[in-house]
Amino acid sequence: MNVRKHWTSAVIVAFAAAVLVAAAMPASAEDDLSNHKLVFGVKPLQNPDMAKIQHDSDAATGLKMWSYSIKSTRNGSKGKSYKGVMVGASPISTSGTTTTTVYVVPLIFEIDGKTLDPTKPDAACMGGKTPLTVLKGSPMIVATHDFKMNGVDVGKAQYSDAFQRANFWKDVSANGGTYHNKLNYKYLPAITIKPGSAHSGLFSLSGACIDYYGGIDINWFDSLVTGTIIPSLASKGVGPTNLPIFMLYNTTMYDGSPSQCCIGGYHGAFGSPVQTYSPFQFDSVGVFGAGSEDTAIMAHEVDEWQDDPLGTNPTPPWGNIGQVSGCQGNLEVGDPLSGTDFPNVTLGGYTYHLQELAFFSWFYGSPSIGAGGKYSDNHTFTAPQGACSAN
């Protein structure tokens, strides 16, 4: 796969100047991971047939989605109409609960003699806790934490549900506050992957709880996920009506060459009926700093999937913020605040990291329909994005 042709968002922005190689060279001990920046990507559905996609949603043969249409009030795009789809039922016009199944698939990587296994206790970095067990108890999955966003109590919910309630709080509260967009997580057996040196390598770490970190070529890996792994999981229930997510433990992705690192996660869509999916990095080391530890990357990707499941929702141009240099025009709620944490949440004695996310109104303009009249879920954005210039 040619990344620059098929990928958008941060992958293009970060690696636009890269010269891709035919075969990836393995990372070496001299390639210190601390020299690299973490970014996120999206693999949009190619040539979407929106009429067919809506039919599949209505017929329950595809992902349950609702559609929106909005006119921008932002400078440079004022009055222009935009249409898109999101997962679940509309928080604008409904007051009930929609539930979508998410299958968690832990991936065990064997790279250059090292095994990176999220199903085994992590003595070096997590005090003997098991990453998958920690994930299961996180606010991404359980709904016991009472979220307050911009001074508004949006209730006890999973983080993705709480965000969506806050995202459309004006309408949710007007409709009685009973709207929920829940995710029902199920867990599949771990899959062991042995990439080989042509598609993987180990990065070195300095001054960390471990001295190595896994790396895999995103192009090779995505072909494996979409062409082999997802089809193999059909007998276990994985299909177009649900979302499979793939947990990479202390393993990151690079674009063709380890020098073009690091991609912490992405969400994608392919086929008809459309199959959505998302690999994400679960980091116990903290090598990338804020916005990347434990469930922060999962929060970025699952919430972007929720609000832009096909990777095709258009927005007025925005950028020069977060991980984005220049301008892009998609509803990726994590990208503008990449590296910015939401307040930590402690559950079961573990302190979880979540990423702050941009509201719908930040992309399309004032007035805000989000919680507290702000434009992100932890008040970093107090106004919508202005006109974006690529220079």
Side-chain angles (χ1 to χ4, degrees), residues 228-352:
T228 301
I229 295 179
I230 289 178
S232 77
L233 298 176
S235 63
K236 300 183 184 299
V238 171
T241 62
N242 51 63
L243 171 73
I245 61 175
F246 300 91
M247 181 183 184
L248 287 70
Y249 165 61
N250 289 346
T251 301
T252 192
M253 292 169 279
Y254 56 79
D255 175 12
S257 167
S259 64
Q260 308 306 320
C261 188
C262 300
I263 305 158
Y266 66 95
H267 65 102
F270 68 98
S272 182
V274 178
Q275 177 67 63
T276 58
Y277 65 104
S278 180
F280 68 94
Q281 179 178 318
F282 183 100
D283 174 76
S284 71
V285 182
V287 65
F288 295 105
S292 67
E293 296 174 84
D294 49 75
T295 54
I297 296 175
M298 180 183 181
H300 180 119
E301 297 303 337
V302 170
D303 282 277
E304 287 194 336
W305 161 82
Q306 176 179 239
D307 279 22
D308 190 15
L310 309 179
T312 58
N313 286 349
T315 69
W318 62 271
N320 300 309
I321 194 168
Q323 67 176 37
V324 180
S325 58
C327 302
Q328 62 187 55
N330 51 5
L331 190 65
E332 293 292 286
V333 298
D335 289 356
L337 287 160
S338 293
T340 302
D341 274 348
F342 187 84
N344 293 343
V345 173
T346 299
L347 292 176
Y350 188 90
T351 299
Y352 290 93

Side-chain angles (χ1 to χ4, degrees), residues 28-382:
S28 67
E30 290 74 33
D31 199 350
D32 193 319
L33 199 62
S34 62
N35 297 328
H36 298 278
K37 178 184 177 182
L38 191 71
V39 296
F40 307 87
V42 57
K43 182 186 174 187
L45 181 66
Q46 299 297 301
N47 303 314
D49 182 343
M50 296 309 298
K52 173 67 163 54
I53 289 167
Q54 189 61 59
H55 174 271
D56 292 340
S57 173
D58 295 341
T61 56
L63 191 66
K64 172 66 176 176
M65 292 184 286
W66 64 280
S67 59
Y68 68 86
S69 178
I70 187 171
K71 286 187 177 181
S72 171
T73 60
R74 280 175 45 196
N75 292 338
S77 59
K78 189 172 183 179
K80 185 175 180 180
S81 294
Y82 295 86
K83 295 181 179 180
V85 293
M86 295 188 184
V87 175
S90 170
I92 296 172
S93 60
T94 61
S95 57
T97 296
T98 303
T99 303
T100 303
T101 297
V102 177
Y103 286 97
V104 179
V105 185
L107 300 181
I108 302 170
F109 284 97
E110 295 184 6
I111 300 173
D112 198 18
K114 300 292 186 180
T115 300
L116 299 126
D117 186 349
T119 70
K120 301 295 184 183
D122 181 341
C125 301
M126 298 180 70
K129 291 182 172 61
T130 300
L132 181 60
T133 302
V134 169
L135 182 80
K136 290 179 178 180
S138 76
M140 287 299 299
I141 292 175
V142 300
T144 57
H145 182 69
D146 190 354
F147 280 97
K148 295 179 176 61
M149 297 180 173
N150 304 327
V152 176
D153 188 340
V154 299
K156 292 182 178 180
Q158 298 161 318
Y159 182 56
S160 55
D161 182 20
F163 168 73
Q164 198 71 333
R165 285 166 56 80
N167 199 11
F168 294 94
W169 187 248
K170 179 181 177 181
D171 296 292
V172 169
S173 57
N175 292 330
T178 55
Y179 172 87
H180 287 279
N181 194 38
K182 295 183 179 180
L183 302 178
N184 177 29
Y185 285 87
K186 297 183 178 181
Y187 303 90
L188 297 181
I191 296 174
T192 299
I193 300 175
K194 303 176 182 180
S197 61
H199 307 295
S200 67
L202 294 177
F203 292 93
S204 63
L205 296 175
S206 301
C209 50
I210 54 176
D211 60 6
Y212 64 88
Y213 208 92
I216 55 171
D217 177 16
I218 190 173
N219 305 286
W220 171 85
F221 175 65
D222 188 71
S223 293
L224 178 69
V225 168
T226 58
T228 301
I229 295 179
I230 289 178
S232 77
L233 298 176
S235 63
K236 300 183 184 299
V238 171
T241 62
N242 51 63
L243 171 73
I245 61 175
F246 300 91
M247 181 183 184
L248 287 70
Y249 165 61
N250 289 346
T251 301
T252 192
M253 292 169 279
Y254 56 79
D255 175 12
S257 167
S259 64
Q260 308 306 320
C261 188
C262 300
I263 305 158
Y266 66 95
H267 65 102
F270 68 98
S272 182
V274 178
Q275 177 67 63
T276 58
Y277 65 104
S278 180
F280 68 94
Q281 179 178 318
F282 183 100
D283 174 76
S284 71
V285 182
V287 65
F288 295 105
S292 67
E293 296 174 84
D294 49 75
T295 54
I297 296 175
M298 180 183 181
H300 180 119
E301 297 303 337
V302 170
D303 282 277
E304 287 194 336
W305 161 82
Q306 176 179 239
D307 279 22
D308 190 15
L310 309 179
T312 58
N313 286 349
T315 69
W318 62 271
N320 300 309
I321 194 168
Q323 67 176 37
V324 180
S325 58
C327 302
Q328 62 187 55
N330 51 5
L331 190 65
E332 293 292 286
V333 298
D335 289 356
L337 287 160
S338 293
T340 302
D341 274 348
F342 187 84
N344 293 343
V345 173
T346 299
L347 292 176
Y350 188 90
T351 299
Y352 290 93
H353 298 79
L354 301 165
Q355 191 197 302
E356 184 176 359
L357 304 164
F359 282 161
F360 182 82
S361 298
W362 184 81
F363 296 90
Y364 297 109
S366 60
S368 171
I369 58 173
K374 305 299 184 185
Y375 292 83
S376 62
D377 66 4
N378 191 42
H379 60 71
T380 292
F381 290 160
T382 59

